[in-house]
Coordinates of all heavy atoms in Angstrom, one line a residue:
L16 N 57.9 -17.0 23.4 CA 58.2 -18.0 22.4 C 59.7 -18.0 21.9 O 60.2 -16.9 21.8 CB 57.2 -17.8 21.2 CG 55.7 -17.9 21.4 CD1 55.1 -18.0 20.0 CD2 55.3 -19.0 22.2
H17 N 60.2 -19.1 21.7 CA 61.5 -19.2 21.3 C 61.7 -20.0 19.9 O 60.5 -20.3 19.4 CB 62.5 -19.8 22.3 CG 62.0 -21.2 22.9 ND1 61.8 -22.3 22.1 CD2 61.7 -21.5 24.1 CE1 61.5 -23.3 22.8 NE2 61.3 -22.9 24.1
L18 N 62.9 -20.3 19.5 CA 63.0 -20.9 18.2 C 62.2 -22.2 18.2 O 61.8 -22.7 17.1 CB 64.5 -21.1 17.9 CG 65.2 -19.9 17.5 CD1 66.7 -20.1 17.3 CD2 64.8 -19.4 16.1
G19 N 62.2 -23.0 19.2 CA 61.5 -24.3 19.3 C 60.0 -24.0 19.0 O 59.4 -24.9 18.3
H20 N 59.4 -23.0 19.5 CA 58.0 -22.8 19.2 C 57.9 -22.4 17.7 O 56.9 -22.8 17.1 CB 57.5 -21.6 20.1 CG 57.5 -21.9 21.6 ND1 58.4 -21.4 22.4 CD2 56.7 -22.7 22.4 CE1 58.1 -21.9 23.6 NE2 57.1 -22.7 23.7
A21 N 58.8 -21.6 17.3 CA 58.7 -21.2 15.8 C 58.7 -22.5 15.0 O 57.9 -22.6 14.0 CB 59.8 -20.3 15.5
L22 N 59.6 -23.4 15.3 CA 59.7 -24.7 14.5 C 58.3 -25.4 14.6 O 57.8 -25.9 13.5 CB 60.8 -25.6 15.0 CG 60.9 -26.9 14.3 CD1 61.2 -26.7 12.8 CD2 61.9 -27.8 15.0
S23 N 57.7 -25.4 15.7 CA 56.5 -26.2 16.0 C 55.4 -25.5 15.2 O 54.7 -26.1 14.4 CB 56.2 -26.1 17.5 OG 55.5 -27.3 17.7
A24 N 55.3 -24.2 15.3 CA 54.2 -23.4 14.6 C 54.4 -23.6 13.1 O 53.4 -23.8 12.3 CB 54.3 -22.0 15.0
L25 N 55.6 -23.4 12.6 CA 55.8 -23.4 11.1 C 55.6 -24.9 10.6 O 55.2 -25.1 9.5 CB 57.3 -23.0 10.8 CG 57.5 -21.4 11.0 CD1 58.9 -21.1 11.1 CD2 56.6 -20.6 10.0
T26 N 56.0 -25.9 11.4 CA 55.7 -27.3 10.9 C 54.3 -27.5 10.8 O 53.8 -28.2 9.9 CB 56.5 -28.3 11.9 OG1 57.9 -27.9 12.0 CG2 56.4 -29.7 11.4
N27 N 53.6 -27.1 11.8 CA 52.1 -27.3 11.8 C 51.5 -26.7 10.5 O 50.7 -27.3 9.9 CB 51.4 -26.7 13.0 CG 51.2 -27.7 14.2 OD1 50.3 -28.5 14.0 ND2 52.0 -27.6 15.2
R28 N 52.0 -25.4 10.3 CA 51.4 -24.7 9.1 C 51.7 -25.5 7.9 O 50.9 -25.6 7.0 CB 52.1 -23.3 9.0 CG 51.7 -22.5 7.9 CD 50.4 -21.8 8.1 NE 49.2 -22.6 7.6 CZ 47.9 -22.3 7.8 NH1 47.5 -21.3 8.7 NH2 47.0 -23.1 7.2
R29 N 52.9 -26.0 7.7 CA 53.4 -26.7 6.5 C 52.6 -28.0 6.3 O 52.2 -28.3 5.2 CB 54.9 -26.9 6.5 CG 55.7 -25.7 6.2 CD 57.1 -25.8 6.9 NE 57.9 -27.0 6.5 CZ 59.0 -26.9 5.8 NH1 59.4 -25.8 5.3 NH2 59.6 -28.0 5.5
M30 N 52.5 -28.7 7.4 CA 51.8 -29.9 7.3 C 50.3 -29.8 7.0 O 49.6 -30.5 6.3 CB 52.0 -30.8 8.6 CG 53.4 -31.3 8.7 SD 53.8 -32.2 10.2 CE 52.9 -33.7 9.9
A31 N 49.7 -28.7 7.7 CA 48.3 -28.4 7.4 C 48.0 -28.0 6.0 O 47.2 -28.5 5.3 CB 47.8 -27.2 8.3
D32 N 48.9 -27.2 5.3 CA 48.9 -26.8 4.0 C 48.9 -27.9 3.1 O 48.1 -28.1 2.1 CB 49.9 -25.8 3.7 CG 49.6 -24.4 4.3 OD1 48.4 -24.2 4.8 OD2 50.4 -23.5 4.3
R33 N 50.0 -28.9 3.4 CA 50.2 -30.0 2.5 C 48.8 -30.9 2.6 O 48.6 -31.5 1.5 CB 51.3 -30.8 3.2 CG 52.0 -31.8 2.2 CD 53.2 -32.4 2.9 NE 54.4 -31.9 2.3 CZ 55.4 -31.6 3.1 NH1 55.4 -31.6 4.4 NH2 56.6 -31.3 2.5
A34 N 48.2 -30.9 3.6 CA 47.0 -31.9 3.8 C 45.7 -31.1 3.5 O 44.7 -31.6 3.7 CB 47.0 -32.4 5.1
S35 N 45.8 -29.8 3.0 CA 44.7 -29.1 2.8 C 43.9 -28.9 4.0 O 42.6 -29.0 3.9 CB 43.8 -29.5 1.6 OG 44.5 -29.7 0.5
G36 N 44.6 -28.8 5.1 CA 43.8 -28.8 6.4 C 43.7 -27.4 7.1 O 44.2 -26.4 6.5
R37 N 43.1 -27.3 8.2 CA 43.0 -26.1 8.9 C 44.0 -26.0 10.1 O 44.4 -27.2 10.6 CB 41.6 -26.0 9.6 CG 40.5 -26.0 8.6 CD 39.2 -26.4 9.2 NE 38.9 -25.6 10.4 CZ 38.0 -25.9 11.4 NH1 37.4 -27.0 11.4 NH2 37.8 -25.0 12.4
L38 N 44.4 -24.9 10.6 CA 45.4 -24.8 11.6 C 44.7 -23.9 12.7 O 44.3 -22.8 12.5 CB 46.7 -24.1 11.2 CG 47.6 -23.9 12.4 CD1 48.0 -25.1 13.1 CD2 48.9 -23.2 11.8
L39 N 44.6 -24.5 14.0 CA 43.9 -23.8 15.1 C 45.1 -23.3 15.9 O 46.1 -24.0 16.1 CB 43.0 -24.7 15.8 CG 41.9 -25.3 15.0 CD1 41.0 -26.1 16.0 CD2 41.1 -24.3 14.2
L40 N 44.9 -22.3 16.7 CA 45.8 -21.9 17.7 C 45.1 -22.0 19.0 O 43.8 -21.6 19.1 CB 46.2 -20.3 17.5 CG 47.0 -19.7 18.7 CD1 48.3 -20.4 18.8 CD2 47.2 -18.2 18.3
R41 N 45.7 -22.6 20.0 CA 45.1 -22.8 21.3 C 45.9 -22.3 22.3 O 47.1 -22.6 22.3 CB 44.7 -24.3 21.5 CG 44.1 -24.5 22.8 CD 43.4 -25.9 22.8 NE 44.4 -26.9 23.1 CZ 44.5 -28.2 22.5 NH1 43.7 -28.4 21.5 NH2 45.4 -29.0 22.8
I42 N 45.4 -21.5 23.2 CA 46.3 -21.0 24.3 C 46.1 -21.8 25.6 O 45.0 -21.8 26.2 CB 45.8 -19.5 24.6 CG1 46.0 -18.6 23.3 CG2 46.6 -18.9 25.8 CD1 47.5 -18.4 22.8
E43 N 47.1 -22.5 26.0 CA 47.1 -23.4 27.1 C 47.5 -22.7 28.4 O 48.6 -22.7 28.8 CB 47.8 -24.6 26.8 CG 47.5 -25.3 25.6 CD 47.6 -26.8 25.5 OE1 48.7 -27.3 26.0 OE2 46.8 -27.4 25.0
D44 N 46.5 -22.0 29.0 CA 46.8 -21.1 30.1 C 46.1 -21.5 31.3 O 45.5 -20.7 32.1 CB 46.3 -19.6 29.7 CG 44.9 -19.6 29.3 OD1 44.2 -20.6 29.1 OD2 44.3 -18.4 29.2
I45 N 46.1 -22.8 31.6 CA 45.3 -23.3 32.9 C 46.1 -22.9 34.1 O 45.5 -22.8 35.2 CB 45.2 -24.9 32.9 CG1 46.6 -25.6 32.7 CG2 44.2 -25.3 31.8 CD1 46.5 -27.1 32.9
D46 N 47.4 -22.6 34.0 CA 48.2 -22.2 35.2 C 48.1 -20.7 35.4 O 48.9 -20.1 34.8 CB 49.6 -22.7 35.0 CG 50.4 -22.5 36.3 OD1 49.9 -21.7 37.1 OD2 51.5 -23.1 36.4
L47 N 47.1 -20.3 36.1 CA 46.8 -18.8 36.1 C 47.8 -18.0 36.9 O 47.8 -16.9 36.8 CB 45.4 -18.7 36.8 CG 44.2 -19.3 36.2 CD1 42.9 -19.2 36.9 CD2 44.0 -18.8 34.8
T48 N 48.7 -18.7 37.6 CA 49.8 -18.0 38.3 C 51.0 -17.7 37.4 O 51.6 -16.7 37.6 CB 50.2 -18.7 39.6 OG1 50.7 -20.0 39.2 CG2 49.1 -18.9 40.6
R49 N 51.2 -18.6 36.4 CA 52.3 -18.4 35.6 C 52.0 -17.8 34.2 O 52.9 -17.2 33.5 CB 53.1 -19.7 35.4 CG 53.7 -20.3 36.7 CD 54.3 -21.7 36.6 NE 55.4 -21.6 35.5 CZ 55.6 -22.7 34.8 NH1 54.9 -23.8 34.8 NH2 56.6 -22.6 33.9
C50 N 50.8 -17.9 33.8 CA 50.4 -17.4 32.5 C 49.9 -15.9 32.6 O 49.3 -15.6 33.6 CB 49.3 -18.2 31.9 SG 49.8 -19.9 31.6
T51 N 50.4 -15.1 31.7 CA 50.1 -13.7 31.8 C 49.5 -13.1 30.4 O 49.9 -13.8 29.4 CB 51.2 -12.8 32.2 OG1 52.1 -12.8 31.0 CG2 52.0 -13.3 33.4
P52 N 48.6 -12.1 30.5 CA 48.2 -11.5 29.3 C 49.3 -11.0 28.4 O 49.3 -11.0 27.2 CB 47.2 -10.3 29.8 CG 47.0 -10.6 31.2 CD 48.1 -11.4 31.7
E53 N 50.4 -10.5 29.1 CA 51.6 -10.1 28.2 C 52.1 -11.1 27.4 O 52.5 -10.9 26.3 CB 52.6 -9.4 29.2 CG 52.2 -8.1 29.9 CD 51.1 -8.3 30.9 OE1 51.2 -9.4 31.7 OE2 50.3 -7.4 31.3
F54 N 52.4 -12.3 28.0 CA 53.0 -13.4 27.3 C 52.0 -13.8 26.1 O 52.4 -14.2 25.1 CB 53.3 -14.6 28.2 CG 54.5 -14.4 29.0 CD1 54.5 -14.7 30.4 CD2 55.7 -13.8 28.5 CE1 55.6 -14.5 31.2 CE2 56.8 -13.6 29.3 CZ 56.8 -14.0 30.6
E55 N 50.7 -13.8 26.5 CA 49.8 -14.2 25.5 C 49.8 -13.2 24.2 O 49.8 -13.6 23.1 CB 48.4 -14.2 26.0 CG 47.3 -14.7 25.1 CD 45.9 -14.8 25.6 OE1 45.7 -15.0 26.9 OE2 44.9 -14.7 24.9
A56 N 49.9 -11.9 24.5 CA 49.9 -10.8 23.5 C 51.2 -11.2 22.7 O 51.3 -11.0 21.4 CB 49.9 -9.4 24.1
G57 N 52.3 -11.6 23.3 CA 53.6 -11.8 22.7 C 53.4 -13.0 21.8 O 54.1 -12.9 20.7
I58 N 52.7 -14.0 22.0 CA 52.5 -15.1 21.2 C 51.8 -14.7 19.9 O 52.3 -15.0 18.8 CB 51.5 -16.2 21.9 CG1 52.3 -16.9 23.1 CG2 51.0 -17.2 20.8 CD1 51.4 -17.8 23.9
Y59 N 50.8 -13.8 20.0 CA 50.1 -13.3 18.8 C 51.0 -12.4 17.9 O 51.1 -12.6 16.8 CB 48.8 -12.5 19.1 CG 47.8 -13.3 19.9 CD1 47.3 -12.7 21.1 CD2 47.4 -14.6 19.5 CE1 46.3 -13.3 21.9 CE2 46.5 -15.2 20.4 CZ 45.9 -14.6 21.5 OH 45.0 -15.4 22.2
R60 N 51.8 -11.6 18.6 CA 52.8 -10.7 17.9 C 53.8 -11.6 17.2 O 54.1 -11.3 16.0 CB 53.4 -9.8 19.0 CG 53.9 -8.5 18.4 CD 54.1 -7.5 19.5 NE 54.8 -8.1 20.8 CZ 54.2 -7.9 21.9 NH1 53.1 -7.3 22.2 NH2 54.9 -8.5 22.9
D61 N 54.4 -12.6 17.9 CA 55.5 -13.3 17.3 C 55.0 -14.1 16.1 O 55.7 -14.3 15.1 CB 56.1 -14.3 18.3 CG 56.9 -13.5 19.4 OD1 57.2 -12.3 19.2 OD2 57.2 -14.1 20.5
L62 N 53.8 -14.7 16.3 CA 53.2 -15.6 15.3 C 53.0 -14.8 14.0 O 53.3 -15.2 12.8 CB 52.1 -16.4 15.7 CG 52.3 -17.4 16.8 CD1 51.0 -18.2 17.1 CD2 53.4 -18.5 16.3
A63 N 52.4 -13.6 14.2 CA 52.0 -12.7 13.1 C 53.4 -12.3 12.4 O 53.4 -12.2 11.1 CB 51.2 -11.5 13.6
W64 N 54.3 -12.0 13.2 CA 55.6 -11.7 12.6 C 56.2 -12.7 11.6 O 56.8 -12.4 10.6 CB 56.5 -11.2 13.8 CG 58.0 -10.9 13.3 CD1 58.4 -9.7 12.6 CD2 59.2 -11.7 13.5 NE1 59.7 -9.8 12.4 CE2 60.2 -10.9 13.0 CE3 59.5 -12.9 14.2 CZ2 61.6 -11.4 13.0 CZ3 60.8 -13.3 14.3 CH2 61.9 -12.5 13.6
L65 N 56.0 -14.0 12.2 CA 56.6 -15.1 11.4 C 55.7 -15.3 10.2 O 56.0 -16.1 9.3 CB 56.4 -16.4 12.2 CG 57.5 -16.6 13.2 CD1 57.2 -17.9 14.0 CD2 59.0 -16.7 12.5
G66 N 54.5 -14.6 9.9 CA 53.7 -14.6 8.8 C 52.7 -15.7 8.9 O 52.1 -16.2 7.9
L67 N 52.4 -16.2 10.2 CA 51.3 -17.2 10.4 C 50.0 -16.5 10.6 O 49.9 -15.4 11.3 CB 51.8 -18.0 11.5 CG 53.0 -18.8 11.3 CD1 53.5 -19.4 12.6 CD2 52.6 -20.1 10.4
A68 N 49.0 -17.2 10.1 CA 47.6 -16.8 10.4 C 46.9 -18.0 11.1 O 47.4 -19.1 10.9 CB 46.9 -16.4 9.1
W69 N 45.9 -17.7 11.8 CA 45.1 -18.8 12.6 C 43.7 -18.3 12.5 O 43.3 -17.2 12.3 CB 45.7 -19.0 13.9 CG 45.6 -17.7 14.7 CD1 44.7 -17.2 15.5 CD2 46.8 -16.7 14.8 NE1 45.0 -16.0 16.1 CE2 46.3 -15.7 15.6 CE3 48.0 -16.6 14.2 CZ2 47.1 -14.5 15.8 CZ3 48.8 -15.5 14.5 CH2 48.3 -14.5 15.3
E70 N 42.9 -19.4 12.8 CA 41.3 -19.2 12.8 C 41.0 -18.5 14.2 O 41.5 -18.8 15.2 CB 40.7 -20.5 12.7 CG 40.8 -21.1 11.3 CD 40.0 -22.4 11.2 OE1 39.1 -22.6 12.0 OE2 40.2 -23.1 10.2
E71 N 40.0 -17.7 14.0 CA 39.4 -17.1 15.3 C 38.1 -17.7 15.5 O 37.4 -18.0 14.5 CB 39.2 -15.5 15.0 CG 40.5 -14.8 14.8 CD 41.3 -14.4 16.0 OE1 40.9 -14.7 17.2 OE2 42.4 -13.9 15.8
P72 N 37.5 -17.8 16.7 CA 38.1 -17.3 17.9 C 39.1 -18.4 18.3 O 39.0 -19.6 18.1 CB 37.0 -17.2 18.9 CG 36.0 -18.3 18.4 CD 36.2 -18.3 17.0
V73 N 40.1 -17.8 19.1 CA 41.1 -18.7 19.6 C 40.6 -19.4 20.9 O 39.9 -18.6 21.6 CB 42.5 -17.9 19.9 CG1 43.5 -18.6 20.8 CG2 43.1 -17.4 18.6
R74 N 40.9 -20.7 21.0 CA 40.4 -21.3 22.4 C 41.4 -21.0 23.4 O 42.6 -21.3 23.3 CB 40.1 -22.7 22.1 CG 39.5 -23.4 23.4 CD 39.2 -24.9 23.1 NE 38.8 -25.6 24.2 CZ 37.5 -25.8 24.6 NH1 36.5 -25.2 23.9 NH2 37.3 -26.5 25.7
R75 N 40.9 -20.4 24.5 CA 41.8 -20.2 25.7 C 41.3 -21.1 26.7 O 40.2 -21.0 27.2 CB 41.7 -18.7 26.2 CG 42.1 -17.8 25.0 CD 41.8 -16.4 25.4 NE 42.7 -15.8 26.3 CZ 42.3 -15.2 27.5 NH1 41.0 -15.2 27.8 NH2 43.2 -14.8 28.4
Q76 N 42.1 -22.0 27.2 CA 41.8 -23.0 28.2 C 41.2 -22.5 29.5 O 40.3 -23.0 30.0 CB 42.9 -24.0 28.5 CG 43.3 -24.8 27.2 CD 44.3 -25.8 27.5 OE1 45.2 -25.7 28.3 NE2 44.1 -27.0 26.9
S77 N 41.6 -21.3 29.9 CA 41.1 -20.7 31.1 C 39.7 -20.4 31.0 O 39.0 -20.1 32.0 CB 42.0 -19.5 31.6 OG 41.9 -18.5 30.4
E78 N 39.1 -20.3 29.8 CA 37.7 -20.0 29.7 C 36.9 -21.2 29.7 O 35.7 -21.2 29.4 CB 37.4 -19.2 28.4 CG 38.1 -17.9 28.5 CD 38.1 -17.0 27.2 OE1 37.8 -17.6 26.1 OE2 38.6 -15.9 27.2
H79 N 37.5 -22.4 29.8 CA 36.7 -23.7 29.7 C 36.9 -24.7 30.7 O 36.8 -25.9 30.5 CB 37.1 -24.3 28.3 CG 36.8 -23.4 27.2 ND1 35.5 -23.3 26.6 CD2 37.6 -22.6 26.4 CE1 35.5 -22.4 25.6 NE2 36.9 -21.9 25.5
F80 N 37.2 -24.2 32.0 CA 37.4 -25.1 33.1 C 36.2 -26.1 33.2 O 36.5 -27.2 33.7 CB 37.7 -24.4 34.4 CG 39.2 -23.8 34.5 CD1 39.5 -22.5 34.5 CD2 40.2 -24.7 34.5 CE1 40.8 -22.1 34.6 CE2 41.5 -24.3 34.5 CZ 41.8 -22.9 34.6
G81 N 35.0 -25.6 32.9 CA 33.8 -26.4 33.1 C 33.9 -27.7 32.2 O 33.4 -28.9 32.6
D82 N 34.5 -27.6 31.0 CA 34.7 -28.8 30.2 C 35.6 -29.9 30.9 O 35.3 -31.0 30.8 CB 35.3 -28.4 28.8 CG 34.3 -27.5 28.0 OD1 33.1 -27.7 28.1 OD2 34.7 -26.8 27.1
Y83 N 36.7 -29.3 31.5 CA 37.5 -30.3 32.0 C 37.0 -30.9 33.4 O 37.2 -32.0 33.7 CB 39.0 -29.5 32.4 CG 39.4 -28.7 31.2 CD1 39.8 -27.4 31.4 CD2 39.3 -29.2 29.9 CE1 40.2 -26.5 30.4 CE2 39.7 -28.3 28.8 CZ 40.1 -27.0 29.1 OH 40.5 -26.1 28.0
E84 N 36.3 -30.0 34.0 CA 35.6 -30.5 35.3 C 34.6 -31.6 35.0 O 34.5 -32.6 35.7 CB 34.8 -29.2 35.8 CG 33.9 -29.5 37.1 CD 34.7 -29.9 38.3 OE1 35.9 -29.4 38.4 OE2 34.2 -30.6 39.2
A85 N 34.0 -31.5 33.8 CA 33.0 -32.6 33.4 C 33.7 -33.9 33.1 O 33.2 -35.0 33.5 CB 32.1 -32.1 32.1
A86 N 34.8 -33.8 32.5 CA 35.7 -35.0 32.3 C 36.1 -35.6 33.5 O 36.1 -36.8 33.8 CB 36.8 -34.7 31.4
L87 N 36.5 -34.7 34.6 CA 37.0 -35.2 35.8 C 35.9 -35.9 36.5 O 36.1 -36.9 37.2 CB 37.6 -34.0 36.7 CG 37.9 -34.3 38.1 CD1 39.2 -35.3 38.2 CD2 38.2 -33.0 38.9
Q88 N 34.7 -35.3 36.5 CA 33.5 -35.9 37.2 C 33.3 -37.4 36.7 O 33.0 -38.2 37.5 CB 32.3 -35.1 37.0 CG 32.2 -33.7 37.7 CD 32.5 -33.8 39.2 OE1 32.4 -34.9 39.8 NE2 33.0 -32.6 39.7
R89 N 33.5 -37.4 35.4 CA 33.2 -38.8 34.8 C 34.3 -39.8 35.3 O 33.9 -40.9 35.7 CB 33.3 -38.7 33.3 CG 33.2 -39.9 32.6 CD 32.9 -39.8 31.1 NE 33.0 -41.1 30.4 CZ 32.9 -41.3 29.1 NH1 32.6 -40.2 28.4 NH2 33.0 -42.4 28.6
L90 N 35.5 -39.4 35.4 CA 36.6 -40.3 35.9 C 36.3 -40.5 37.4 O 36.6 -41.6 37.9 CB 38.0 -39.6 35.7 CG 38.3 -39.4 34.3 CD1 39.7 -38.6 34.2 CD2 38.6 -40.7 33.5
R91 N 35.8 -39.5 38.1 CA 35.4 -39.8 39.6 C 34.4 -40.8 39.7 O 34.4 -41.7 40.4 CB 35.0 -38.5 40.2 CG 36.2 -37.6 40.5 CD 35.7 -36.3 41.2 NE 35.0 -36.6 42.5 CZ 34.6 -35.7 43.3 NH1 34.6 -34.3 42.9 NH2 34.0 -36.0 44.4
R92 N 33.3 -40.6 38.9 CA 32.1 -41.6 38.9 C 32.6 -43.0 38.6 O 32.1 -43.9 39.2 CB 31.0 -41.2 37.8 CG 30.0 -40.3 38.4 CD 28.8 -40.2 37.4 NE 29.1 -40.1 36.0 CZ 29.3 -38.9 35.4 NH1 29.2 -37.8 36.1 NH2 29.6 -38.8 34.1
E93 N 33.5 -43.1 37.6 CA 34.0 -44.4 37.3 C 35.2 -45.0 38.2 O 35.7 -46.0 37.9 CB 34.5 -44.4 35.8 CG 33.2 -44.1 34.9 CD 33.5 -44.2 33.4 OE1 34.4 -45.0 33.1 OE2 32.7 -43.7 32.6
E94 N 35.4 -44.2 39.2 CA 36.4 -44.5 40.2 C 37.7 -44.8 39.6 O 38.5 -45.8 39.9 CB 36.0 -45.8 41.0 CG 34.7 -45.3 41.8 CD 34.3 -46.6 42.8 OE1 34.9 -47.6 42.8 OE2 33.3 -46.3 43.5
L95 N 38.1 -43.9 38.7 CA 39.5 -44.0 37.9 C 40.4 -43.0 38.5 O 41.6 -42.9 38.0 CB 39.2 -44.0 36.4 CG 38.5 -45.2 35.9 CD1 38.2 -44.9 34.3 CD2 39.3 -46.4 36.0

Side-chain angles (χ1 to χ4, degrees):
L16 295 192
H17 55 57
L18 284 171
H20 297 102
L22 178 64
S23 213
L25 291 166
T26 305
N27 265 288
R28 178 80 268 168
R29 284 150 58 112
M30 290 177 72
D32 288 348
R33 198 178 249 136
S35 307
R37 298 161 55 199
L38 174 59
L39 308 180
L40 172 64
R41 182 166 77 223
I42 299 294
E43 301 211 323
D44 58 350
I45 56 171
D46 187 342
L47 302 174
T48 56
R49 294 176 58 216
C50 296
T51 68
E53 291 74 28
F54 286 135
E55 184 177 333
I58 290 174
Y59 302 133
R60 204 161 44 233
D61 291 344
L62 294 179
W64 177 68
L65 283 175
L67 290 165
W69 55 88
E70 289 184 18
E71 300 280 355
V73 168
R74 185 174 173 93
R75 301 170 72 236
Q76 292 189 322
S77 58
E78 292 168 356
H79 299 279
F80 281 116
D82 290 331
Y83 318 130
E84 176 68 24
L87 175 66
Q88 291 306 341
R89 178 162 168 186
L90 297 174
R91 284 182 60 182
R92 265 197 314 275
E93 300 193 17
E94 297 186 359
L95 292 173

